[in-house]
Amino acid sequence: MKSAFITGTSKGLGKSIALHLLSKNWQVFGLSRKDNDIRHERYMHIRCDVSSYDDVQACFESIKTTRIDLLINNSAIFEYNSFENTNMSKIDSMIDINLKGPIYVTRCALPLMRENGRIIFINSVAGLEELENQSIYCATKHGLTGFAGVLSKELQKRKIKVTSIHPGVS
């Protein structure tokens, strides 16, 4: 049975992806700061703050015998605000969750990743463009784009594919 590890499964896209993979007979490990309502024999929810390396490390320690076929870095926060009106707390949170979080999760997941595995970063069009009133969000997503691109090259020898998806607002 294939296994997936998905961040941000308490709602939205992360939850939808988890439910889809469960319907395809995957074992799914969901990670988020909040509980969720997914109840399934092949689903394990782990409460964790991806902005804390210690939390992320403890999370992966709890599943250390599992081999991961698919890692989906989905957790993110967003604020539409001019740079001048963005407070330092929000800047720190966005950088910690949107950029450092996926880096921490990927770092801890790699020892458990199977050869021929896949890492997907749910990024944003903000990782490719410069969008007004989204300076910090764009900075985190541009950083994530660069990280994913270099990681893809570094993991070729392990045959782990890395993809960064850049959806826009619909």
Side-chain angles (χ1 to χ4, degrees), residues 16-138:
S16 294
I17 293 169
L19 292 169
H20 174 75
L21 291 175
L22 288 167
S23 76
K24 300 294 183 187
N25 296 317
W26 284 62
Q27 173 73 44
V28 177
F29 297 87
L31 178 73
S32 64
R33 290 178 290 169
K34 301 174 186 171
D35 287 329
N36 69 22
D37 60 359
I38 298 174
R39 303 292 177 258
H40 197 284
E41 69 261 4
R42 289 188 317 277
Y43 180 79
M44 179 179 174
H45 186 76
I46 305 167
R47 286 187 70 171
C48 179
D49 180 356
V50 297
S51 69
S52 165
Y53 185 71
D54 290 340
D55 271 12
V56 173
Q57 211 172 16
C59 164
F60 280 92
E61 185 64 27
S62 73
I63 64 161
K64 66 183 175 189
T65 60
T66 302
R67 294 293 155 244
I68 300 171
D69 296 287
L70 174 63
L71 169 63
I72 300 177
N73 284 292
N74 171 65
S75 293
I77 60 170
F78 171 82
E79 180 177 285
Y80 186 82
N81 206 356
S82 71
F83 177 70
E84 289 180 312
N85 292 323
T86 304
N87 67 47
M88 290 309 296
S89 173
K90 187 54 83 171
I91 291 170
D92 287 342
S93 293
M94 275 196 272
I95 291 170
D96 290 348
I97 293 169
N98 297 0
L99 180 59
K100 290 165 67 178
I103 291 171
Y104 294 163
V105 168
T106 302
R107 173 79 180 214
C108 291
L110 275 175
L112 305 177
M113 293 287 304
R114 293 184 198 268
E115 187 174 282
N116 294 312
R118 179 171 291 264
I119 299 171
I120 298 174
F121 294 92
I122 306 297
N123 203 318
S124 168
V125 68
L128 302 172
E129 298 179 16
E130 291 120 17
L131 305 173
E132 191 173 356
N133 293 316
Q134 297 178 39
S135 58
I136 303 304
Y137 185 72
C138 283

